Amino acid sequence: ARFRLLCSLLLPALFLSGILCILLVVLLWGVRLWIQRKKQWSSAGRDGKRPLLVAFFHPYCNAGGGGERVLWCAIRTLQKKYRNVTCVVYTGDRDATGEEIVEGAFRRFNIKLIHPVKFVFLEKRFLVEASLYPHFTLLGQSLGSVFLGWEALLKCVPDIYIDSMGYAFTIPLFKYLGGCRIGCYVHYPTISTDMLSVVRNQDTRFNNAAFITSSPLFSKFKLAYYYFFAFMYGLVGSCSDVVMVNSSWTLNHILSLWRAGACTSVVYPPCDVQTFLDIPLEVEKSTSEYSIVSVSQFRPEKDHPLQIRAFAKLLKEKRVGQQPSLKLILIGGCRNQQDEERVNNLKCLCEELGVSDDVIFRINIPFEELKRHLAEATIGLHTMWNEHFGIGVVECMAAGTVILAHNSGGPKLDIVVPHEGRVTGFLAEDEDSYADTMVYIFSLSPEKRLEIRENARRSVHRFSEQHFEDTFLLSVEPLFK
């Protein structure tokens, strides 16, 4: 009797589930056909062929960071190679016109596009703002990116879709509903095995609050949440046809999460090394002031507080002998109000540590001013833990500063490594080691510092724009066949 009762309940449930699955498949197929009809084709060119529409999903294309340099270099590279291609950028930067965005790319990065770009302005970018999700931020932003991607897809259906900002959850949307060929450039995995280990070991970081690390229950719950998210992230990422990553560090994580080794390759970001290599390199003349320069966006993971605390420690202990005055110059871009508030908090930290007069903030500055600061600096400072690559690190080395970066991620594995057996820079991990290493660098003779600077310059040619163009075109070639 119990068996018959179970069958009488189970069979209708299975039947209903099957019907619902069929209806869902039919609905999705109908949506796909409807979207295909909405596809916006450009008019035929002189050769009678329709332009191929290549769309880049980059909601913050006007931000001015390393990811934006990759975007504009990638577009320029495609424009050089393929005549029958129209490039589209999905962006949420509605406070600027397309002309202003292109002009900003030239002003900040010295990148001039060959042909016009079509901009699709999105209204729902707020859905991917971290501030909207005080808890379950990764999941909230990822789900928000799906809705933002849906808006983008409805406004313009491309032939080739390239996620150039790390919104992997938009990939199935464009592949299965938009019928697009899919490429992506991963600057930093949304979740990594390092993030899992931070939670597992109950370490306090900017993305793992103290109240969670102090509670075994909360830590276990967050670890389960991270494992679930990592599984979903791997699932959507594996839908890509072409995967490009920016460093060996990112490659290792993406291979373990996405398991798409056959279509994954390392494409180092394009660094404008030649422009910085044009800066004359010579033995430093005696000066009454030395500058330490940091180049990175004002985001929490860049850990600017560590730079300020290490600098304050350097000044407080007066360990550079009869030192001339020292200045710390923080150069970076602000994307939104949260970044501006972060800068204000950093200024408050400077006041608290008594170094306000010695720390200079330069925000969203023109390229020429950036170049001038780097040309005058003695040390280039970078403090992000597990930086995925570090374009700012390369630029500092090309400009002739003695680089001091974090002993992890891209700087450790790819950039600040010996070149032909010679030192190219230095690595540190915490406030004390950063301060100690800065003391050591200043204690070196100008001739010794020049030798390190020359070694660093010789090592950065593999990160040039030309090398990026060659490897990028080789990687995306399957999308154009």
Side-chain angles (χ1 to χ4, degrees):
R2 291 180 180 176
F3 178 75
R4 287 198 299 271
L5 177 62
L6 182 63
C7 288
S8 66
L9 295 175
L10 186 60
L11 290 177
L14 290 174
F15 179 76
L16 181 60
S17 299
I19 294 295
L20 290 175
C21 287
I22 292 173
L23 288 175
L24 180 61
V25 170
V26 171
L27 177 63
L28 291 176
W29 184 254
V31 170
R32 177 186 170 99
L33 292 177
W34 175 65
I35 288 176
Q36 292 303 306
R37 289 178 181 175
K38 286 175 64 68
K39 181 169 286 192
Q40 301 174 4
W41 295 100
S42 302
S43 57
R46 294 179 180 178
D47 58 358
K49 295 181 179 179
R50 291 179 299 185
L52 201 64
L53 214 58
V54 181
F56 292 81
F57 191 76
H58 209 104
Y60 296 91
C61 73
N62 203 31
E68 287 66 58
R69 167 173 279 280
V70 171
L71 169 70
W72 300 119
C73 274
I75 290 175
R76 185 180 62 183
T77 301
L78 291 182
Q79 290 179 341
K80 285 182 183 178
K81 173 70 173 179
Y82 299 101
R83 293 184 178 179
N84 202 39
V85 160
T86 297
C87 291
V88 177
V89 177
Y90 297 117
T91 179
D93 293 302
R94 295 187 297 148
D95 57 343
T97 65
E99 292 77 11
E100 289 171 340
I101 293 173
V102 171
E103 173 59 30
F106 176 69
R107 181 172 55 87
R108 291 171 181 150
F109 306 121
N110 200 31
I111 296 174
K112 191 170 184 63
L113 301 181
I114 300 170
H115 304 295
V117 171
K118 177 181 177 181
F119 289 92
V120 175
F121 290 94
L122 308 176
E123 300 176 5
K124 298 181 176 61
R125 190 178 71 178
F126 67 91
L127 292 175
V128 297
E129 293 281 355
S131 58
L132 191 62
Y133 312 99
H135 306 292
F136 300 100
T137 308
L138 294 181
L139 185 60
Q141 287 183 289
S142 297
L143 292 177
S145 72
V146 175
F147 287 99
L148 188 63
W150 175 249
E151 179 190 352
L153 185 59
L154 290 182
K155 289 185 174 180
C156 178
V157 185
D159 300 291
I160 297 173
Y161 171 78
I162 299 178
D163 167 36
S164 53
M165 206 174 169
Y167 292 107
F169 282 76
T170 64
I171 291 174
L173 194 67
F174 280 83
K175 181 166 187 174
Y176 298 114
L177 294 184
C180 308
R181 282 161 277 174
I182 304 295
C184 59
Y185 189 97
V186 184
H187 298 275
Y188 194 86
T190 305
I191 191 168
S192 66
T193 53
D194 287 332
M195 292 170 66
L196 292 171
S197 66
V198 165
V199 178
R200 190 186 305 112
N201 298 332
Q202 295 181 251
D203 294 335
T204 301
R205 298 266 182 178
F206 77 91
N207 59 347
N208 197 36
F211 80 90
I212 293 178
T213 60
S214 61
S215 170
L217 179 62
F218 285 167
S219 291
K220 289 179 181 178
F221 178 78
K222 184 169 184 177
L223 187 61
Y225 157 58
Y226 267 21
Y227 272 115
F228 168 75
F229 185 86
F231 171 75
M232 295 301 298
Y233 181 61
L235 207 60
V236 297
S238 63
C239 298
S240 304
D241 299 307
V242 167
V243 181
M244 294 166 282
V245 298
N246 65 345
S247 69
S248 302
W249 182 87
T250 307
L251 175 68
N252 294 335
H253 288 285
I254 289 299
L255 288 179
S256 66
L257 291 167
W258 291 13
R259 303 187 184 282
C263 61
T264 304
S265 58
V266 176
V267 178
Y268 287 129
C271 305
D272 192 10
V273 295
Q274 190 55 54
T275 298
F276 293 105
L277 290 174
D278 291 341
I279 297 173
L281 199 60
E282 53 190 23
V283 177
E284 306 159 28
K285 299 176 182 178
S286 58
T287 177
S288 60
E289 180 177 292
Y290 287 114
S291 63
I292 302 166
V293 170
S294 162
V295 182
S296 58
Q297 285 184 312
F298 289 101
R299 304 204 306 260
E301 64 270 23
K302 297 299 183 180
D303 205 355
H304 288 90
L306 174 56
Q307 299 179 8
I308 295 170
R309 289 195 301 270
F311 180 69
K313 192 177 188 68
L314 174 67
L315 294 183
K316 184 178 180 180
E317 299 190 8
K318 302 286 186 182
R319 296 177 301 177
V320 190
Q322 300 298 319
Q323 64 179 15
S325 64
L326 300 175
K327 296 292 182 183
L328 173 62
I329 304 174
L330 303 181
I331 301 173
C334 281
R335 303 163 298 172
N336 47 40
Q337 184 179 350
Q338 286 75 27
D339 286 355
E340 292 171 3
E341 292 174 357
R342 196 167 292 113
V343 170
N344 290 332
N345 292 335
L346 291 172
K347 291 180 179 178
C348 290
L349 177 61
C350 292
E351 292 179 5
E352 179 185 328
L353 297 175
V355 295
S356 294
D357 294 337
D358 302 303
V359 179
I360 301 169
F361 290 83
R362 303 298 297 138
I363 300 167
N364 297 332
I365 63 174
F367 181 79
E368 287 304 317
E369 185 178 346
L370 166 66
K371 185 176 177 180
R372 178 173 59 80
H373 282 298
L374 287 176
E376 296 171 354
T378 300
I379 295 177
L381 195 61
H382 198 274
T383 49
M384 179 176 170
W385 171 73
N386 270 342
E387 169 70 88
H388 41 290
F389 179 72
I391 289 181
V393 175
V394 174
E395 290 177 343
C396 286
M397 294 169 70
T401 69
V402 180
I403 191 66
L404 174 55
H406 198 281
N407 189 28
S408 62
K412 177 182 180 180
L413 296 177
D414 292 311
I415 305 174
V416 191
V417 296
H419 177 69
E420 297 178 352
R422 298 176 180 177
V423 174
T424 58
F426 300 90
L427 301 169
E429 295 181 359
D430 53 27
E431 181 181 322
D432 289 334
S433 59
Y434 269 98
D436 290 340
T437 308
M438 282 190 283
V439 170
Y440 175 73
I441 293 171
F442 281 119
S443 71
L444 296 173
S445 66
E447 291 77 17
K448 182 61 178 177
R449 282 200 293 268
L450 177 62
E451 181 183 325
I452 295 172
R453 294 157 63 201
E454 288 175 339
N455 294 339
R457 275 197 162 184
R458 283 191 289 267
S459 73
V460 299
H461 287 284
R462 59 206 168 101
F463 306 124
S464 66
E465 289 184 359
Q466 184 59 53
H467 188 266
F468 168 82
E469 290 183 4
D470 294 341
T471 53
F472 177 79
L473 288 174
L474 190 62
S475 298
V476 300
E477 188 177 1
L479 299 177
F480 292 85
K481 290 181 177 179

